Amino acid sequence: MIVLRTMEKSKGKLNPFMMYLHRIIRILPVVAMAILIYMTMMPVVSGGPMFKGGYHGTHFCARNWYWTLLFVQNYAVLNICLDHTWYLAVDMQLYIISPILLIAIYKWGKKAAAGICVLIVLLSGCLFATQMVNNYSLLIRNDDDDGVANKKLYLATHNHAAPWLIGFLFGYFLHLNRGKKFELTGKFDSPPISVLAESCYYTLTRLAWPLAICWIIFACTQGYGGLANSFLSSPLWQPFSRLSYSMYVWHMLVQEVNSRNVRTTTYFSAYQMNASLLDVIPYAEEDSTEQELQCMYDLMFLALGVSNGEYWAFKMFDSWGKIPSGILRGNLYELGNFDECLNTKNILPAPFKNITGKYCFLSVTPSLLLGSNNPLAAAVKLNIGTCFPSSCRASHMNNFLKTMMNINTTISVPGIGISDSSCQTLQKEPWDGLTKASIWILVAMAAIVALFTVVDYFLRKVPEELPAIVKIFSARANSRALFRVTETTSNPNVIECIHGIRCMTLFWVIFSHEYVDSLITANLNLVDFFLWAEEPYASFVLHSFFSVDSFFVIGGMLVSLITLRIMERSDGKLNVLLMYLHRLIRIWPLMALAILIYMKLMPVVADGPLFKDGYSGLPQCEAGWYWSLIFVQNYVSNKCVGHTWYLAVDMQLFILSPIFLFALYKWGKKAAAGIVVLVLLLSACLFATMMVNDYSMLMKRTSVDAMANMYYATHTHAAPWLIGFLFGYFLHLNRAKKFQLNWMIVGLGWILSLAMIFTSIFALYPSGKWIGASVSILGESFYHTFTRIGWPLALCWVIFACMQGYGGLANSFLSSPLWQPLSRLSYSIFIWHLFIVEVNARNVRTNVYFSNYQMMLKFWSDLGITILVSYVLHLIFEAPFSSIGEYLKPGIKNLKATNEVEEEKTDAKKSSSPMEHNNFAPDSETNLVQQRV
């Protein structure tokens, strides 16, 4: 399509040499670099027990690298250097012959197109004949060892020419009809498939698949794509599309590094037992209850099963964990095979009951076994997975183990045993009323959203004409508002960088929580976590509490900036009740849903050996869920959904904000001076609290009281919020003003702000070591006092510099339009990220290896899943309630009168809340419809 347009403009002229040269310059350098890096650099960037030889295809590259550089590797050799680059060879070969087809199409038009159609049919017949004559198959179970079928059917260029030619003809069709609008209405043990059927399958699908893709493109370009077009045409794909070639070349490097950079293995073993197992079945005359007798029967059948070589009995013992290796490195878990145990089943004839598996942890405390009373040593407990018949209780299992170890069953052995609380079976506890209610709420909301989405789709009206009820609940309308992307401007009245700052801060929070939650999973090397805490890199995680202060700065800034504009237009009037009500409708429903889902649905969506009791914070939620709903959980010990303490602090400061707003509106700079004094007093209070109580936030000497009074308390975070509040007042006074600063002032501002940021993160690094001198309480008090002021000021400079055009690369990055959808989704991501992090941390079947690289992999995995979950829950829960809140926001009529709002589309208005001051609601005129101030 592109070349035909070029030929049309040049009256049929085409320079094939320049075509080839441009293509080679575009592709060859990256391929050459890839060969070098795959061959030589893979052992440099990673290691592990399976990494001895580096890249698996190194010896192929050593012999055949030049075929890849000539783009004939799909024909020249069977073992290709960088095997996934066979596609580039096929594509290059087809590209080389393309001028013949292009000139024919330009000269003879539809006649040439008909000839190409004939060629497609012939190529399809060639594929069919090749497979039939040679009896080739691409099914895994029929795969030949020498790979000839793969080479002849999959790697050969002529077998992929048909889809390429179909795309070529479709491009010709689009070229002929450019600008034209078409009006349209309207499993391995299965029976083997015959070679004829498989040949027909591959022949027809080689035609049908490209035709289906062509239809999708045509429908999207003609306006018939619907939701598919909205998704596929999103501007968010454009950067990834430009990166697609590099991603294709390098993805195999990352995949192989991650697949071979492992410290654990999945194994199957045959457990060799004999009939002597019958001798260790614990039996006593007093074991006379029905359940106890049933356990005895099941153990007897288990012993007989092992004696007779029955598969189910071997599975039960095979699923046991063994004595773990690496105990001195902190490997305290040997999980065995959880699923193998639970899926073990032996069907017995009546009157006997079927035998199923029960997975339990055998807890071993080495210090108690050795007679030591050292409390630190007692904290080291080994947990080994075991499997018994589900009819047995912990007492039966413990007696069984004692009998195996020749210990009198009447003697209590400290330091070793199984507890019923650690046991799981396939039979789950029935759902209680609250669990059912949670599921019904989600189903009902999803049904309502689906209904109005269908109504929206069939109405096919422009967004401005949709009924309000449809816009509130329609997933299509809410998705349109969520993914709306506006171009970055250089207007000093626009705070574009807030999107990037909010997203990067949120990523920092999630990344830090990954490290914290790594402590609750089964680690191979838990000791390395404590060694890691002494590294400089660890400071990014250990001092990530500054990320919370960044949110408070942004939140305080938006409260003053937006509300003062509203008050200015309404002659100082402000409906405080509606402010609070709108905020509650925006925040409270998702918070209530989060409490239900964290408490009740975590065991529903996941399981595993570490998932016995569901959510780790379940006891706190059961004891104090109501504190979270009234936003005072930061002052109680039972913090349900613990990370939401931030919302409590932010809500409390928001409740106080009308006092500061009225003061600023009435007394202006005098009130601002009073707020400055208040910031200093709050900082002095923080300093005095640390000094008087000898509090420390260093990991090696912190305490629960220190966290409660220094980290969770509202007054300790009020200073950053008030600094942001004053900064918003400054922006309000100087809106539309362009500050002319010379390069020395700008440079000094960036140097001081960056120095403050890095000082805040790394200043306590030397004192963070487990062994060695620590900073004095006086020094640490000064550190926390001054950084609570310095960090917000540094962030304010970053925002100011980006607004005024002095941000440079920082502004280009933070103000990228790509941040906008994620920024609008930030509240949902914040709420749900710990759900995903904990599920993935505890939903493990093998031990995990702790390292910065593994944490990075886990972060990106959890972030991607969190974004998907947040998007779905945003559509069915958050967005509808946020839209309802739009009708309660004060000052909207005055704001709609402004030129800025009139420039925006209705979708922007719908998703923009003029009085939304929640830091996690970016599209709410928290940025005044794209942060116009």
Side-chain angles (χ1 to χ4, degrees), residues 80-340:
I80 300 173
C81 176
L82 273 63
D83 41 17
H84 64 293
T85 60
W86 69 268
Y87 157 77
L88 298 178
V90 173
D91 191 58
M92 179 63 80
Q93 293 160 26
L94 292 170
Y95 186 80
I96 289 173
I97 65 172
S98 64
I100 300 173
L101 304 174
L102 289 165
I103 294 172
I105 284 284
Y106 184 82
K107 188 173 183 180
W108 295 297
K110 295 180 180 179
K111 294 180 180 179
I116 295 175
C117 289
V118 173
L119 180 59
I120 292 172
V121 174
L122 292 175
L123 288 168
S124 301
C126 178
L127 172 61
F128 181 84
T130 301
Q131 192 164 1
M132 285 293 295
V133 170
N134 296 282
N135 199 26
Y136 287 152
S137 174
L138 287 177
L139 295 176
I140 296 176
R141 66 182 178 196
N142 298 331
D143 194 18
D144 58 333
D145 294 332
D146 55 7
V148 174
N150 184 64
K151 184 176 180 179
K152 297 292 185 181
L153 291 181
Y154 188 63
L155 301 182
T157 301
H158 61 278
N159 288 329
H160 293 282
W164 190 90
L165 289 171
I166 290 174
F168 185 91
L169 289 178
F170 183 60
Y172 174 58
F173 169 79
L174 294 179
H175 168 71
L176 293 179
N177 295 280
R178 60 189 181 277
K180 181 179 179 181
K181 174 67 175 178
F182 288 84
E183 296 296 336
L184 304 178
T185 60
K187 300 177 178 173
F188 286 81
D189 56 347
S190 60
I193 186 172
S194 67
V195 174
L196 173 62
E198 191 178 349
S199 301
C200 291
Y201 166 79
Y202 284 111
T203 302
L204 296 177
T205 53
R206 286 284 166 86
L207 301 176
W209 182 270
L211 290 173
I213 297 297
C214 291
W215 163 256
I216 292 173
I217 297 172
F218 175 76
C220 290
T221 57
Q222 292 295 316
Y224 303 111
L227 291 175
N229 183 49
S230 300
F231 176 74
L232 296 173
S233 301
S234 171
L236 296 177
W237 296 118
Q238 295 173 15
F240 294 106
S241 179
R242 299 183 187 107
L243 268 177
S244 59
Y245 176 51
S246 286
M247 292 167 68
Y248 174 77
V249 170
W250 300 114
H251 79 279
M252 287 290 288
L253 175 72
V254 178
Q255 286 181 357
E256 181 160 348
V257 166
N258 293 340
S259 64
R260 303 177 69 191
N261 181 29
V262 294
R263 293 338 192 243
T264 60
T265 183
T266 303
Y267 63 91
F268 296 92
S269 63
Y271 223 89
Q272 300 300 322
M273 303 290 290
N274 55 47
S276 63
L277 187 61
L278 286 167
D279 300 329
V280 299
I281 297 176
Y283 178 78
E285 293 183 359
E286 61 271 15
D287 290 341
S288 57
T289 66
E290 182 179 353
Q291 183 177 6
E292 290 167 341
L293 291 175
Q294 183 64 47
C295 177
M296 295 303 106
Y297 281 129
D298 290 348
L299 288 174
M300 181 186 68
F301 280 117
L302 176 62
L304 291 174
V306 172
S307 176
N308 297 329
E310 296 179 18
Y311 181 62
W312 72 271
F314 281 120
K315 282 180 63 179
M316 186 165 287
F317 281 103
D318 185 56
S319 64
W320 279 47
K322 286 71 180 174
I323 298 176
S325 59
I327 295 175
L328 299 181
R329 291 292 299 275
N331 184 13
L332 304 181
Y333 282 92
E334 180 56 52
L335 301 178
N337 196 314
F338 175 79
D339 298 288
E340 183 180 31

Side-chain angles (χ1 to χ4, degrees), residues 102 174 224 278 292 361 446 455 461 554 603 642 648 681 806 828 876:
L102 289 165
L174 294 179
Y224 303 111
L278 286 167
E292 290 167 341
F361 274 120
V455 172
K461 293 184 177 181
I554 297 174
L681 291 175
Y806 303 114
S828 279
I876 68 176

Side-chain angles (χ1 to χ4, degrees), residues 48 51 127 332 383 403 489 590 694 701 707 716 744 783 918:
F51 238 108
L127 172 61
L332 304 181
N383 296 280
T403 306
T489 67
L590 201 62
D694 197 25
R701 67 184 190 193
M707 290 292 293
T716 61
M744 293 184 64
Y783 164 81
N918 173 24

